[in-house]
């Protein structure tokens, strides 16, 4: 059974801090790892990672994958209150139909 | 505003009621998904449809019945639900051949009394 574990489950920081969110996984026939940001309801896509060691960046957010150690991290620098959300990690299996398994998510709260 | 819409946004129903959730996408995708998000639990995949054919049923109880009449529309028919079925139900869509980004709808917040 595919498994995705995120840590920490909850994190409270002050504006300007840098945070690192962790995601470890066990999946048969790994295809990709995805990060989503969920505010209020629907998750929005952040990154898709398929190769080890290649950092993906989008503004203050960056992410990297380690396929040997089976984990990924999501970094957010110079956090802002608008970064407050649940960050979801999901892994996708190599299969005929797309199948995502999600972790529990990390609840990030950024205080002014 | 995403290209995936869901109605209703909120639903309260009794255990003997029958209701349906609707999802519609205007992104030209051919794969659609139903997810359940319960409080303090990971997002759970329920059903997957590719080109209107159900390709995945993730051990979902029969009181949940999906229907995909065409590639743009997906329904989740609900009957004789239990209080523990109260959750956020999210619909998503993607391209089936380029299996990467799934685009999510806003969800339906369901409360079963």
């Amino acid at each position: 059974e595919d498994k995705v574990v995120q840590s920490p489950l909850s994190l409270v920081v002050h504006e300007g801090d840098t945070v690192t969110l962790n995601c470890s996984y066990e999946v048969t026939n790994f295809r990709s790892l995805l990060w989503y940001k969920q505010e209020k309801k629907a998750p929005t896509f952040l990154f898709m990672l398929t190769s080890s060691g290649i950092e993906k960046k989008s503004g203050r957010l960056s992410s990297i994958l380690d396929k040997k150690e089976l984990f990924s991290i999501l970094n957010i620098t110079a956090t802002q209150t608008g970064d407050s959300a649940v960050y979801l990690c999901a892994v996708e299996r190599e299969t005929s139909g797309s199948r995502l398994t999600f972790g529990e998510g990390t609840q990030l709260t950024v205080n002014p | 505003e995403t290209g995936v819409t869901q109605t209703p946004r909120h639903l309260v129903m009794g255990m003997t009621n029958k209701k349906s959730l609707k999802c519609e996408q205007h992104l030209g995708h051919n794969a659609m998904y139903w997810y359940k998000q319960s409080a303090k639990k990971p997002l759970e995949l329920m059903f997957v449809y590719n080109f209107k054919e159900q390709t995945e049923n993730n051990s979902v109880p029969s009181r949940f019945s999906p229907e995909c009449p065409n590639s743009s529309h997906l329904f989740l028919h609900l009957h004789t639900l239990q209080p523990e079925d109260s959750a956020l139900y999210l619909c998503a869509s993607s391209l089936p051949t380029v299996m990467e980004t799934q685009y999510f709808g806003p969800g339906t917040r369901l409360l079963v009394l």
Side-chain angles (χ1 to χ4, degrees), chain B residues 31-95:
Chain B
M32 297 187 77
Y33 316 80
W34 279 118
Y35 287 89
K36 176 184 178 183
Q37 188 169 36
S38 305
K40 299 181 182 180
K41 285 187 179 180
L43 202 60
E44 300 170 59
L45 179 66
M46 298 175 73
F47 301 104
V48 181
Y49 277 82
N50 280 294
F51 294 95
K52 302 185 294 178
E53 297 296 321
Q54 187 180 130
T55 58
E56 189 130 2
N57 176 338
N58 204 23
S59 302
V60 181
S62 59
R63 58 186 184 270
F64 295 92
S65 174
E67 179 191 0
C68 189
N70 55 61
S71 294
S72 298
H73 294 85
L74 184 66
F75 295 89
L76 187 62
H77 304 299
L78 316 171
H79 63 99
T80 59
L81 293 192
Q82 305 297 311
E84 60 263 29
D85 296 322
S86 299
L88 179 69
Y89 289 85
L90 289 164
C91 173
S93 71
S94 73
L95 293 171

Side-chain angles (χ1 to χ4, degrees), chain A residues 4-75:
Chain A
V4 179
V5 178
Q6 291 186 244
S7 64
L9 293 181
S10 175
L11 187 58
V12 181
V13 299
H14 292 289
E15 268 192 316
D17 289 350
T18 294
V19 297
T20 298
L21 309 184
N22 304 291
C23 176
S24 63
Y25 63 90
E26 295 173 24
V27 63
T28 305
N29 298 326
F30 174 87
R31 179 186 179 94
S32 65
L33 183 144
L34 301 96
W35 284 97
Y36 286 84
K37 177 182 182 183
Q38 186 171 20
E39 298 171 274
K40 297 180 183 178
K41 285 192 177 176
T44 53
F45 173 77
L46 294 176
F47 298 112
M48 184 184 75
L49 304 158
T50 55
S51 303
S52 281
I54 299 174
E55 185 182 47
K56 293 219 171 178
K57 295 195 74 171
S58 176
R60 296 176 293 103
L61 276 67
S62 64
S63 184
I64 198 162
L65 174 68
D66 186 327
K67 290 169 73 174
K68 184 179 177 184
E69 300 297 330
L70 307 182
F71 78 90
S72 174
I73 60 172
L74 175 68
N75 278 321

